[in-house]
Amino acid sequence: MDYLITIIVPNYNHSNFLEERLTSIFNQTYQNFEVILLDDASTDNSVSILEHYKSHPKVSHSVFNKTNSGSPFKQWEKGLELARGNYIWIAESDDSCSSEFLESLVVKLKPELALIFCESLVINTNGEKIKRNDWADSLDKDRWKLGYYNSGTNEIEKYLRYKNFIPNASAVIFSKSIASKIKFPENMYYCGDWYIWIELCRLGDIAFVNKTLNYFRKHNATTREVKSFSEELTRFKEYNLVIKRNSTRIERFLNRKKYYWIVDEWLKKSKKTKYADAIKIIMPTTLYLTFIRKYLTYKLKRK
């Protein structure tokens, strides 16, 4: 079926990458799409670049905020409200992709599918290819070697509630009709995508295309890079909210090893902090106690 795809490009201070991003979109081999350009009060010259593309025949809306919304997921929701397409692609403004991205995913779409995603390749600031994104491998190193379909509820139970194995929203196309039934987490900044993927999978199926079609750019301004201490505390607070929403205390205890990536991540970020600051972290009790043990062991070895 010839689905109309709405491509939402939410931008904030990514002027250095915008032209590459938009070129990768307009050069898609699958051309049944509209583009919605959003800017969240950028302080660089993003708006002047986006203004140049406003008259492009594929651009249906251009909305430039005068004040920052405070959450990227408010921008997602704004784009969704304007969208005419059957499916949504959040093409983040600092990423890029293969010209066959849409064509390769659209051919796999089914009415019951809530979302479909592909393999991602990490690129640097200059667009140089670095490596396959291996973020999901700690859950199951073999699962993403082949493409698959799965029920959304099974995917949540077995994998998605333990870790956001989709590290980059630009790799995903999701159903507009299903997305319109969920509430977007406007109070989240870091983990709203994880929250949204789970909510979508509650209402439909999921598919994976084992082709490297999405190019996930890592640079100093990405949300995955090191932030201030207070910002990192916020990130982990959001991890905690998603985990507790999707598991019971008993389930978290029985499956605690599947969450150890959180412990290891905070241990890495807090090694140079004082104990009084390190213990401010919010995470499920089982994980918190494991972190304290590992943190104290590390500090004792350093003495």
Side-chain angles (χ1 to χ4, degrees):
M1 186 178 291
D2 192 27
Y3 295 104
L4 174 64
I5 309 299
T6 294
I7 306 172
I8 300 169
V9 185
N11 177 72
Y12 178 68
N13 284 350
H14 286 156
S15 61
N16 290 340
F17 313 119
L18 270 176
E19 291 194 16
E20 179 185 348
R21 168 80 279 186
L22 293 172
T23 298
S24 73
I25 290 170
F26 293 130
N27 286 346
Q28 288 294 300
T29 54
Y30 183 90
Q31 282 285 304
N32 189 18
F33 63 80
E34 64 168 346
V35 175
I36 297 175
L37 302 176
L38 304 177
D39 186 81
D40 206 7
S42 291
T43 56
D44 60 9
N45 67 327
S46 290
V47 172
S48 63
I49 295 173
L50 292 171
E51 288 279 2
H52 177 72
Y53 289 93
K54 282 178 64 174
S55 60
H56 192 286
K58 288 291 188 181
V59 174
S60 59
H61 298 279
S62 299
V63 184
F64 306 150
N65 290 348
K66 296 297 183 182
T67 57
N68 188 268
S69 68
S71 169
F73 307 106
K74 288 183 180 180
Q75 293 294 86
W76 289 26
E77 192 166 40
K78 179 186 292 184
L80 190 67
E81 291 170 354
L82 297 171
R84 295 185 296 111
N86 308 102
Y87 289 86
I88 308 296
W89 175 21
I90 305 291
E92 295 188 306
S93 55
D94 53 344
D95 296 322
S96 189
C97 63
S98 162
S99 62
E100 298 178 353
F101 174 84
L102 279 180
E103 182 179 1
S104 299
L105 271 63
V106 167
V107 73
K108 303 285 187 179
L109 293 177
K110 296 181 178 180
E112 64 271 21
L113 203 61
L115 70 87
I116 183 171
F117 70 107
C118 69
E119 186 78 84
S120 293
L121 184 73
V122 176
I123 60 175
N124 64 17
T125 300
N126 299 321
E128 297 167 334
K129 297 176 180 179
I130 301 174
K131 65 172 184 174
R132 166 187 166 270
N133 192 295
D134 58 2
W135 172 249
D137 288 359
S138 64
L139 281 176
D140 187 331
K141 62 183 178 62
D142 296 320
R143 178 165 177 74
W144 291 276
K145 289 182 179 180
L146 298 173
Y148 64 83
Y149 279 85
N150 193 18
S151 73
T153 52
N154 183 263
E155 196 81 356
I156 294 169
E157 180 184 354
K158 299 293 185 182
Y159 301 99
L160 193 51
R161 64 176 172 166
Y162 300 115
K163 190 176 188 179
N164 182 10
F165 56 70
I166 308 174
N168 185 214
S170 293
V172 178
I173 293 177
F174 59 88
S175 166
K176 181 191 174 184
S177 62
I178 295 178
S180 65
K181 298 176 183 178
I182 69 174
K183 181 175 175 57
F184 277 47
E186 294 184 352
N187 60 334
M188 286 183 144
Y189 188 83
Y190 297 104
C191 299
D193 54 345
W194 189 11
Y195 177 100
I196 290 168
W197 309 150
I198 291 176
E199 293 305 299
L200 287 171
C201 284
R202 291 188 196 282
L203 301 174
D205 295 343
I206 184 171
F208 171 64
V209 174
N210 186 28
K211 292 183 180 180
T212 307
L213 304 166
N214 178 58
Y215 306 146
F216 181 17
R217 195 184 308 272
K218 294 292 188 73
H219 56 91
N220 292 336
T222 58
T223 59
R224 292 298 309 172
E225 296 303 310
V226 176
K227 304 295 182 184
S228 69
F229 186 76
S230 62
E231 287 172 322
E232 292 295 355
L233 285 175
T234 300
R235 183 204 305 279
F236 281 79
K237 182 179 179 180
E238 291 184 11
Y239 285 158
N240 186 60
L241 289 171
V242 175
I243 290 169
K244 285 194 170 183
R245 179 179 173 83
N246 295 285
S247 61
T248 65
R249 184 174 297 179
I250 293 175
E251 287 172 333
R252 292 192 292 274
F253 176 76
L254 294 176
N255 298 289
R256 58 192 179 279
K257 290 185 179 180
K258 293 183 179 181
Y259 296 110
Y260 276 0
W261 63 271
I262 299 175
V263 174
D264 294 337
E265 188 174 321
W266 185 244
L267 183 64
K268 181 180 179 181
K269 294 178 185 298
S270 63
K271 281 181 176 179
K272 295 181 180 180
T273 64
K274 296 179 180 178
Y275 177 74
D277 289 329
I279 63 174
K280 291 178 181 178
I281 188 63
I282 296 176
M283 62 175 69
T285 303
T286 299
L287 301 182
Y288 185 79
L289 295 175
T290 301
F291 163 71
I292 296 297
R293 176 176 56 79
K294 287 191 173 186
Y295 179 87
L296 293 175
T297 299
Y298 169 79
K299 288 295 186 180
L300 288 172
K301 287 182 178 179
R302 295 279 293 175
K303 290 184 177 181

